[in-house]
Amino acid sequence: MGIRMVFYFILQLPQLIQSASPFEAGEAGCKETCENVSIPYPFGIKRGCYHNSWFRVTCNKTINGTKPFISRINMELLPSYWPVEDNRVTVNNPVTYLNCDDKGNNGNTSSSSVNLQGSPFFLSEQNIFGSVGCGYLAITFRNNQTDPIAACLQQRCGDPISSKLPGCLTMVPENLTSYTTASRPMIDIISPGEKESSKRCTSTFIGDSTVFSEISIDMTHVPATLEWNPVKCDLEASLCSIVRPHYVLPYKTSCNERCGNVDIPFPFGIKVGCYKSEWFRVTCNKTADDSCL
């Protein structure tokens, strides 16, 4: 009897793999909230309410109360005016500061990065690159500090403010999966031999173009538009990109995993990239007899 049951399970395994997708697609009828923020499908909190693990949301405690975060990219999900059917939502994007001692560890950072590579998400062209302050050249790069995407020049310090935004703005010409922002004092560019350079507080950010009338030097995050590509699986993009109908997703050849003295065969796995999907993820738990499950 035991042999027949094991053999039956092995025969049914391909059907289990194929039938996992509808379950992973979640329930569009889930009405979830985190504090006062509605969580729209394909995002969700409870298993069965999110499309797959890329869209899983957790409610995290912050100094400003409990907030919803997209778990795998650690970005706060904000109330959005975008129809979620457009594959876009609003998130809280971090601001980079320079010479701002009251901003904690980020107060003296000359550059800062956001990296969404390997995920289905990207920051869309709906966003704008901006900076608050005076006397700096603000620059954003693709994924290092040698390949600039956009730049804007702040006013000279002491000049009359010519706009509502005390700084500068410019368009982001492409969708971004990663970027680095930085600020350069203009005096260092114009007169590199000068010993004294600007020590004024300044900030740089990428955010939604519709909210820049509210930007100030005191903001640590700005709303930004996050979009995503169609998601076939919940592994890294390099693996998901080769998934085809009726095609078994390959896994890392280095995945020789064990839990205790038990081998973990694919499609099951422990580490990301070693299991077919969240349905086949295995965790090693300590029990009273120190075995693993």
Side-chain angles (χ1 to χ4, degrees):
M1 180 65 177
I3 296 175
R4 287 199 298 270
M5 288 180 66
V6 172
F7 184 60
Y8 176 78
F9 177 79
I10 294 172
L11 287 177
Q12 293 297 310
L13 195 52
Q15 284 73 29
L16 289 172
I17 296 173
Q18 292 176 8
S19 64
S21 296
F23 291 100
E24 290 169 3
E27 299 176 7
C30 292
K31 295 181 179 179
E32 298 182 301
T33 60
C34 180
E35 291 296 299
N36 61 344
V37 179
S38 297
I39 310 299
Y41 183 80
F43 297 92
I45 299 172
K46 294 182 295 185
R47 185 182 294 275
C49 290
Y50 49 85
H51 178 65
N52 64 29
S53 66
W54 284 112
F55 298 92
R56 185 185 174 212
V57 172
T58 54
C59 287
N60 298 339
K61 290 184 178 180
T62 72
I63 58 174
N64 297 314
T66 303
K67 305 289 183 181
F69 282 79
I70 304 173
S71 302
R72 290 185 67 172
I73 60 174
N74 196 33
M75 295 188 96
E76 182 187 346
L77 189 64
L78 298 176
S80 179
Y81 54 83
W82 297 112
V84 74
E85 293 81 9
D86 290 349
N87 282 13
R88 60 177 68 176
V89 290
T90 304
V91 295
N92 231 4
N93 205 26
V95 173
T96 302
Y97 286 94
L98 178 65
N99 298 327
C100 303
D101 294 336
D102 61 335
K103 302 301 180 184
N105 292 335
N106 201 27
N108 293 301
T109 303
S110 59
S111 64
S112 183
S113 301
V114 170
N115 192 345
L116 300 172
Q117 291 180 336
S119 82
F121 300 105
F122 59 90
L123 292 166
S124 73
E125 294 176 279
Q126 174 70 31
N127 297 298
I128 281 183
F129 172 60
S131 180
V132 174
C134 64
Y136 284 92
L137 174 66
I139 314 168
T140 184
F141 305 87
R142 283 184 178 84
N143 51 17
N144 50 50
Q145 293 195 51
T146 60
D147 189 12
I149 305 168
C152 68
L153 181 62
Q154 298 175 355
Q155 297 177 162
R156 290 189 304 177
C157 298
D159 284 356
I161 296 175
S162 59
S163 68
K164 292 183 179 179
L165 177 74
C168 59
L169 296 174
T170 190
M171 300 296 295
V172 176
E174 60 188 65
N175 296 328
L176 299 175
T177 56
S178 67
Y179 69 87
T180 299
T181 64
S183 300
R184 302 285 185 267
M186 282 305 299
I187 192 171
D188 289 354
I189 299 172
I190 297 171
S191 305
E194 295 281 344
K195 291 184 179 180
E196 293 294 327
S197 62
S198 176
K199 297 296 183 182
R200 294 175 182 268
C201 175
T202 188
S203 66
T204 54
F205 46 80
I206 287 181
D208 193 312
S209 59
T210 61
V211 298
F212 278 107
S213 61
E214 304 170 6
I215 297 297
S216 74
I217 195 66
D218 297 318
M219 298 184 73
T220 58
H221 291 75
V222 295
T225 299
L226 183 76
E227 298 190 37
W228 60 89
N229 294 309
V231 182
K232 297 176 181 177
C233 68
D234 58 1
L235 304 181
E236 299 299 319
S238 58
L239 291 176
C240 291
S241 63
I242 60 175
V243 177
R244 300 180 181 89
H246 311 299
Y247 185 83
V248 177
L249 183 70
Y251 62 102
K252 295 177 182 176
T253 56
S254 59
C255 292
N256 297 317
E257 298 183 301
R258 292 172 64 85
C259 181
N261 60 352
V262 178
D263 291 327
I264 310 298
F266 185 79
F268 299 94
I270 299 171
K271 295 182 294 185
V272 171
C274 293
Y275 49 85
K276 164 70 180 177
S277 72
E278 280 290 303
W279 290 102
F280 296 91
R281 184 182 180 189
V282 173
T283 57
C284 284
N285 298 334
K286 288 186 177 180
T287 64
D289 58 1
D290 240 357
S291 61
C292 293
L293 299 176

